[in-house]
Amino acid sequence: MTKATFDRHRRLRSSAQIRSSIRENHVRVEDLIYPIFVKEGENIKNEVASMPGVYQWSLDRLEEELQEVVRRGISSIILFGVPKEKDDVGSSAYSDEGIVQQGIRFVKERYPNLTVIADTCLCQFTDHGHCGVVHDGEILNDQSLELLTKTAVSQAQAGADIIAPSNMMDGFVAAIRKGLDEAGFVHTPIMSYAVKYASAFYGPFRDAAHSSPKSGDRKTYQMDPANRREAFREAASDVEEGADYLIVKPALSYLDIIRDVREREDLPIVAYNVSGEYSMIKAAAQNGWVNEEAIVMEKMVSMKRAGADLILTYFAKDVADYLQQGENGGTSDE
């Protein structure tokens, strides 16, 4: 029998059934983490102008959003707080009656099986908008760790299942792990924002969380987008300090970093599909320039292919709907 002079790769693409049977990466609803913004006040459902379909919710209306989340089978959410008042040390971040703490209790009382992740940072709560204590224009690292630890412990006391510190201070995982352990929360995992770049893709989030710095920028603590090897050092430090998950943020411009971290570390990797990535697709879809479902699923698959175990995304409800309708392989027919 004469062998063909070239390979017939298309045999394994000849039908939807065959393509599905050999698909290497899959997106599942269990992989999704959905961000929710809780805002102090009453009767609030404010759509974020730069993030179509994303809202700020007051607690008296939060049930509307939670029902939609649970109905779709999404099992994990992350809470971000929008307080009424701010001060120079972000005191409402670690108050027992802070908006995030109230939100955690609200969710866990009504949906105890829903995994609640608490974003642990100060930027939404400080009047200067930075993620730590500021003195004479300098963000003070070690003084910030004390307040971040207080915030994490207060969130765990409120019932948070996972603490997700996003501040990028040196030693933040070690400080928070020590604080949680001493407070009796030895079984509460830390989902560290281990690799967080000083990205231009965060603009819409800052609209939603009212967290833009009043002066300067965050480049002294968030990473330079040009750097790759630095990510290895950041991730390795967090693993050594006691992290249980590693977040890479943003996702799409840093798929190479997700792959790099995956190859070096054994902890679960979370890809954060950030606000700017969300808003660009929404805007293009609203203008009829792209097929939203096809492009969103292709994005999700790219993160899984790069090595992400979980995906934190504002598209979570949309993706859950797509999956219920029949899994999209992440490619268009173009």
Side-chain angles (χ1 to χ4, degrees):
M1 192 175 220
T2 304
K3 184 183 184 298
T5 57
F6 53 86
D7 294 322
R8 297 285 184 179
H9 299 293
R10 290 181 56 192
R11 291 176 185 144
L12 298 182
R13 304 175 194 149
S14 58
S15 71
Q17 291 79 9
I18 291 177
R19 292 192 297 273
S20 177
S21 71
I22 63 167
R23 186 162 294 142
E24 298 174 22
N25 293 280
H26 297 266
V27 179
R28 308 172 305 154
V29 70
E30 293 87 354
D31 302 331
L32 305 173
I33 301 170
Y34 183 59
I36 296 179
F37 296 93
V38 287
K39 181 178 174 66
E40 285 192 271
E42 296 180 353
N43 194 31
I44 296 171
K45 181 186 177 182
N46 293 339
E47 186 170 28
V48 181
S50 55
M51 299 178 71
V54 173
Y55 297 84
Q56 298 170 330
W57 297 91
S58 56
L59 293 183
D60 59 336
R61 297 196 62 177
L62 183 57
E63 178 72 19
E64 300 171 39
E65 180 77 311
L66 295 175
Q67 288 178 354
E68 291 298 307
V69 168
V70 172
R71 179 178 65 80
R72 289 171 166 85
I74 296 169
S75 58
S76 299
I77 61 172
I78 184 168
L79 293 182
F80 298 95
V82 185
K84 277 185 178 178
E85 298 182 0
K86 307 185 180 192
D87 58 34
D88 62 345
V89 292
S91 58
S92 62
Y94 43 87
S95 167
D96 289 341
E97 294 306 315
I99 184 59
V100 171
Q101 288 79 357
Q102 292 185 56
I104 293 167
R105 290 193 292 268
F106 184 95
V107 177
K108 295 306 291 186
E109 287 168 3
R110 290 159 179 80
Y111 299 96
N113 294 326
L114 192 61
T115 297
V116 178
I117 304 165
D119 177 75
T120 306
C121 200
L122 301 177
C123 60
Q124 299 103 293
F125 305 95
T126 55
D127 53 15
H128 47 73
H130 279 287
C131 303
V133 177
V134 177
H135 181 69
D136 291 338
E138 180 184 358
I139 294 88
L140 303 180
N141 193 91
D142 295 6
Q143 292 87 333
S144 300
L145 296 181
E146 298 176 18
L147 300 185
L148 292 163
T149 299
K150 289 175 63 175
T151 301
V153 170
S154 72
Q155 292 169 337
Q157 290 171 335
D161 298 292
I162 299 173
I163 299 299
S166 58
N167 52 89
M168 289 295 285
M169 296 294 117
D170 290 338
F172 69 96
V173 173
I176 289 172
R177 182 73 273 160
K178 182 174 184 290
L180 290 172
D181 291 352
E182 290 177 349
F185 296 102
V186 295
H187 298 300
T188 299
I190 294 176
M191 181 180 286
S192 170
Y193 286 67
V195 180
K196 181 177 180 180
Y197 284 90
S199 171
F201 284 99
Y202 302 153
F205 173 90
R206 293 175 183 176
D207 292 342
H210 300 169
S211 62
S212 296
K214 294 295 187 293
S215 62
D217 54 42
R218 295 180 176 146
K219 293 180 180 179
T220 66
Y221 46 105
Q222 295 178 2
M223 290 173 52
D224 186 337
N227 290 356
R228 175 173 174 260
R229 296 190 303 273
E230 184 181 2
F232 311 156
R233 301 195 297 272
E234 289 282 358
S237 292
D238 287 7
V239 172
E240 184 176 348
E241 292 174 18
D244 300 282
Y245 303 79
L246 302 174
I247 296 176
V248 176
K249 176 184 182 184
L252 291 182
S253 289
Y254 301 87
L255 292 174
D256 60 323
I257 305 301
I258 294 174
R259 169 54 58 190
D260 286 335
V261 175
R262 170 77 290 149
E263 290 177 348
R264 286 165 174 79
E265 306 295 348
D266 292 330
L267 294 181
I269 305 296
V270 183
Y272 193 153
N273 180 209
V274 300
S275 58
E277 298 168 344
Y278 171 89
S279 297
M280 289 191 299
I281 298 303
K282 282 291 184 182
Q286 288 180 351
N287 278 285
W289 297 337
V290 297
N291 178 322
E292 182 173 341
E293 177 179 348
I295 204 166
V296 167
M297 291 307 298
E298 187 170 342
K299 285 173 38 171
M300 297 297 121
V301 168
S302 75
M303 296 172 217
K304 295 286 286 187
R305 191 181 64 245
D309 300 287
L310 301 172
I311 301 173
L312 200 167
T313 178
Y314 302 94
F315 282 112
K317 291 194 298 184
D318 297 319
V319 172
D321 287 341
Y322 303 152
L323 294 175
Q324 288 175 359
Q325 295 160 10
E327 185 172 354
N328 186 320
T331 57
S332 72
D333 291 328
E334 185 175 348

